[in-house]
Amino acid sequence: RNEVHMLREALKQETQNRDTVVHKLMKELQPVNQTKDFDELRTQLRKQVTVLEAGLADEVRDRRAAEVMRDTKDASREADLRSGLNALCQDLAHHKTIYGTTKDEHKNQINRCIHDLHLLAGGVQRVTQAWTTVPLGNLQTSDVNGSSAGVCPGGSK
């Protein structure tokens, strides 16, 4: 926008300079003002000013169009970034939920395993206590040959 303003000022300055030159030429050539050469010079100057104004108008139009395209591109890029960020946030929230659920399931499974181990330990402890209270002499059996064999915990003779 500053460039457009600067270009407009440059156009005004150029127009004023050319008007000044034309005015000087008209004063200098006042006696010859009615000649064909003067008319041609004036026509050439007007054509040059017209071409300059057209070029400047084209440049202003091109820059405005480029600015609009840049703004559109920036807005599109920003919208894409926002949608990507929202998708990431949703994925993160979903993964947090899954993590919490899995953690709770594992905790419950571990607690059940610990409970089962306590039950097994209690059972083993009761069996061990029962073995220590049973007299080993009562467990002896007689062999077919008549020899006696003792049975001990662990299956050894």
Side-chain angles (χ1 to χ4, degrees):
R1 292 180 187 184
N2 289 334
E3 291 178 14
V4 171
H5 183 65
M6 289 173 45
L7 289 172
R8 284 183 182 164
E9 288 183 14
L11 176 64
K12 286 179 185 177
Q13 185 73 2
E14 184 68 26
T15 304
Q16 287 176 355
N17 289 343
R18 289 191 183 244
D19 287 346
T20 305
V21 169
V22 169
H23 190 61
K24 277 184 182 180
L25 285 173
M26 287 177 67
K27 279 187 178 181
E28 290 175 1
L29 299 174
Q30 206 163 19
V32 190
N33 199 7
Q34 301 301 326
T35 66
K36 187 176 182 181
D37 291 337
F38 179 73
D39 289 337
E40 287 177 14
L41 178 64
R42 186 174 12 178
T43 304
Q44 280 182 340
L45 287 176
R46 284 187 181 161
K47 284 181 184 179
Q48 287 177 351
V49 168
T50 304
V51 168
L52 182 63
E53 286 175 343
L56 185 59
D58 290 344
E59 181 69 23
V60 167
R61 185 177 51 251
D62 291 345
R63 288 190 184 200
R64 282 183 182 164
E67 183 178 317
V68 167
M69 288 196 52
R70 186 184 64 240
D71 290 345
T72 303
K73 185 192 248 183
D74 288 345
S76 173
R77 185 178 298 138
E78 183 179 340
D80 288 345
L81 287 173
R82 285 179 192 237
S83 67
L85 180 62
N86 287 339
L88 283 174
C89 287
Q90 289 174 353
D91 284 348
L92 181 62
H94 178 70
H95 287 296
K96 279 183 179 180
T97 304
I98 290 173
Y99 171 76
T101 304
T102 304
K103 182 179 134 188
D104 290 342
E105 287 176 5
H106 286 167
K107 181 180 78 172
N108 291 336
Q109 292 249 347
I110 289 171
N111 285 338
R112 284 192 296 267
C113 287
I114 289 172
H115 176 72
D116 291 347
L117 285 174
H118 283 298
L119 290 176
L120 284 173
V124 168
Q125 189 176 18
R126 284 190 300 273
V127 168
T128 304
Q129 287 175 352
W131 271 102
T132 56
T133 58
V134 172
L136 291 178
N138 294 339
L139 294 178
Q140 290 182 350
T141 60
S142 59
D143 209 3
V144 176
N145 294 339
S147 65
S148 63
V151 176
C152 296
S156 62
K157 286 188 180 183

